[in-house]
Amino acid sequence: MNSPALATTTSVPELRPGAVSRTTLALFAGASGDHNPIHIDIDSARASGMDDVFAHGMLSMAYLGRLLTDWVPQSRILELSTRFTAITPVLAEPVFHAEVTGIETVDGEQRAHLDLTAELADGTKTLAGKAVVSWPGA
């Protein structure tokens, strides 16, 4: 089966995983081994000057990975980089976006360059990144 042609107008469906609950944070801490108390213990978070616990940055990066693997097979992800720009508060509902910003052909393989973002309802961008994925030939 032929894949659709790749263009800078190619749409990447956004990812809306829902609210980042305390349960989500506890499960991610267990799965990742990151038990930093500012993510799971409100007293530790408050002692650090925060009002409440907040999401692990790597949880947001994991969601970006899911955004990409919902779009292309994991084997087609050639590069993925991010930088954390703000915290994601507990109970926030981040939305993850990818936009095709460029296309190149390398050794006969089409590659899409993407800008990635995680955004909260108030417009705060909590993560910015880039990815390169290979695109199956048409």
Side-chain angles (χ1 to χ4, degrees), residues 8-111:
T8 54
T9 57
T10 299
S11 177
V12 181
E14 66 186 21
L15 177 67
R16 293 177 174 265
V20 176
S21 68
R22 294 176 197 285
T23 301
T24 301
L25 298 179
L27 290 171
F28 186 79
S32 68
D34 182 350
H35 297 282
N36 186 329
I38 62 173
H39 297 302
I40 51 179
D41 178 41
I42 193 168
D43 292 331
S44 291
R46 286 183 176 157
S48 297
M50 305 302 295
D51 292 332
D52 203 343
V53 298
F54 54 94
H56 305 71
M58 292 304 292
L59 175 60
S60 292
M61 192 165 177
Y63 282 134
L64 274 182
R66 184 193 306 169
L67 170 84
L68 293 175
T69 59
D70 283 352
W71 188 54
V72 298
Q74 180 180 352
S75 61
R76 294 193 176 277
I77 300 171
L78 305 175
E79 296 177 26
L80 173 60
S81 64
T82 60
R83 93 188 135 76
F84 308 111
T85 56
I87 65 167
T88 301
V90 69
L91 303 179
E93 296 186 24
V95 180
F96 298 87
H97 305 273
E99 178 184 355
V100 178
T101 57
I103 301 165
E104 68 177 338
T105 301
V106 177
D107 297 328
E109 173 187 70
Q110 270 197 310
R111 294 181 178 180

